[in-house]
Amino acid sequence: MNNAETDAFGEKIDPEWFKWVIHRLDSSIRKLGADADIGRTEKTILRAVKSGTIRPELLDQIAKKLDVYPDYLAGRYAWTLNLDIMKEEGVLDYWREHYLSPKQFPYKLAEQLRLDSYRQLIDTLLIHGISEAEYKGLDWNKRRELERELDRQTTRILNRWFPDHARPVEDLEYFQTMEWQDERDVIEAMLDYLEDRGLVTVYDQGPDDDSEDPFFEEYKYLPVVCMPTMSRIVIKGESGFCSVDEAFTDMVVITPDWISYKYKPRKISEHNLPMNLAYQPSGLGYRALFDEAAEKVTGILELDDEEFVADIGSTTFAVTYPNGTKKHRVFCLPGDDFAECFALVKKMVPSEEAIPRVLITSDDE
């Protein structure tokens, strides 16, 4: 396979979105092809755009030159432009300007995501004379308090010197786990704007014992299905200490209606390829499993004192509640510590699919 062929093979991109971002940043395929830092011709880049696939290295080079997050440039969020809410007058332009502007997705996001925040914490403590063993001698609450205090103080200091750029590590953790998954998330993001426009109505229905419920009267013969305690659960994993050829991040997302899985290798190779799956199961069996999993996740989010395990990838549990509030916790623990929860989620994965890496426990080996 020659270089021209390999340059047009790799990661999927949304051609129209790709071109829109480039033009928004006052560039063009012609300018990029003439840039020595990118090292690819206009013809090569144009061929990749027309095919809808691009080599990850080329995508990264272009993204770095334009100072945008590579996944954003590839069109990771372009699906939001096709939602029904975007058909309302002015909404699409508002969404593009306030939520999908390139300035919201700088290239440094990619650089941040390549870092190991736990290793950075341990290195910071070590250079100040505190060993990893001494740090792990603290109980979980004290460790978390220490991490947050270091984060706040560091951010406060950096903000004095870089007021427009310094952000806490927690912002990055939130970005990693709580990105938009469906139209409901997009509506929640723009809720104030949409409510002001009269396009959505937000209300709390209070109990009224003196009034008759017409809904109940009309549908009283149907089975009762309670509202979910959570509207979305994200379980995000990452590889621990290993070679870059084996490193990865993956994420399972479940809601009362669907399940999706994304596997992203740190370095794409023949034996470590990206994967995306999404299913919308039918029947009450899936919903029952979701409710059970939500109960297990509630317990996990309330854990008080859990030990960290060195050289193991982190597992993040992040949830969205029906009222829009969100909560997440990050653990450095083996999958067996969450075996009961993972067993339920694995039942939600279609039998013909491989078990998501983040859900693997000793029972699967």
Side-chain angles (χ1 to χ4, degrees), residues 13-264:
I13 60 173
D14 183 307
E16 293 305 314
W17 173 262
F18 189 92
K19 289 185 286 187
W20 179 83
V21 174
I22 290 175
H23 293 153
R24 177 70 183 271
L25 293 170
D26 195 28
S27 187
S28 66
I29 292 177
R30 177 175 297 179
K31 288 181 181 179
L32 294 172
D35 195 306
D37 292 336
I38 294 177
R40 295 293 189 277
T41 65
E42 174 188 350
K43 185 177 180 181
T44 296
I45 298 173
L46 187 60
R47 181 168 52 247
V49 173
K50 287 183 176 180
S51 70
T53 58
I54 191 170
R55 294 287 294 180
E57 315 91 82
L58 179 55
L59 176 65
D60 189 77
Q61 289 167 333
I62 295 174
K64 189 173 184 178
K65 173 59 62 173
L66 297 174
D67 190 24
V68 290
Y69 182 44
D71 283 2
Y72 167 83
L73 177 59
R76 182 169 181 166
Y77 310 105
W79 61 269
T80 62
L81 303 176
N82 299 316
L83 297 173
D84 288 342
I85 192 66
M86 299 300 168
K87 298 175 184 176
E88 301 289 346
E89 184 179 358
V91 174
L92 180 60
D93 291 339
Y94 182 87
W95 177 250
R96 279 185 186 270
E97 183 62 31
H98 292 82
Y99 293 90
L100 291 187
S101 170
K103 65 183 180 181
Q104 303 287 347
F105 298 88
Y107 181 78
K108 64 184 176 185
L109 276 173
E111 297 176 307
Q112 287 176 305
L113 293 172
R114 292 170 189 151
L115 298 176
D116 184 337
S117 58
Y118 177 70
R119 192 71 257 162
Q120 181 188 30
L121 169 67
I122 297 304
D123 289 344
T124 299
L125 295 174
L126 186 59
I127 203 168
H128 289 282
I130 302 163
S131 69
E132 184 173 8
E134 289 168 326
Y135 163 74
K136 292 170 68 173
L138 301 174
D139 64 38
W140 190 91
N141 287 323
K142 289 181 178 179
R143 290 199 299 267
R144 188 59 174 164
E145 183 180 353
L146 171 61
E147 292 170 29
R148 288 177 173 172
E149 182 65 15
L150 280 173
D151 190 13
R152 284 194 296 266
Q153 294 293 349
T154 302
T155 304
R156 185 176 295 117
I157 293 169
L158 292 175
N159 192 60
R160 288 169 49 198
W161 302 93
F162 307 97
D164 297 327
H165 301 284
R167 296 291 183 271
V169 173
E170 285 189 347
D171 281 6
L172 180 64
E173 293 177 347
Y174 184 85
F175 174 81
Q176 288 178 285
T177 57
M178 300 304 288
E179 57 188 6
W180 312 298
Q181 299 291 331
D182 52 31
E183 185 169 29
R184 176 172 179 165
D185 289 339
V186 172
I187 289 174
E188 285 177 356
M190 296 189 290
L191 196 58
D192 290 341
Y193 165 76
L194 295 175
E195 189 176 17
D196 288 343
R197 289 277 315 277
L199 297 175
V200 299
T201 301
V202 180
Y203 66 94
D204 293 316
Q205 184 175 355
D208 187 351
D209 294 334
D210 297 327
S211 64
E212 183 177 321
D213 186 345
F215 180 88
F216 176 76
E217 286 301 314
E218 185 174 353
Y219 298 102
K220 61 185 178 181
Y221 58 88
L222 294 176
V224 176
V225 179
C226 62
M227 290 298 290
T229 56
M230 298 174 182
S231 58
R232 190 178 76 200
I233 300 171
V234 178
I235 306 175
K236 180 177 180 294
E238 63 177 18
S239 52
F241 181 76
C242 63
S243 71
V244 68
D245 292 331
E246 299 174 341
F248 68 91
T249 60
D250 67 337
M251 181 169 64
V252 173
V253 181
I254 55 175
T255 76
D257 303 309
W258 52 262
I259 179 170
S260 69
Y261 177 60
K262 181 172 185 177
Y263 176 90
K264 185 174 182 179

Side-chain angles (χ1 to χ4, degrees), residues 336-357:
D336 283 6
D337 284 44
F338 314 113
E340 292 184 2
C341 175
F342 287 175
L344 292 167
V345 180
K346 281 184 280 192
K347 291 180 182 178
M348 303 165 78
V349 178
S351 58
E352 64 269 21
E353 299 294 349
I355 298 173
R357 293 286 292 272

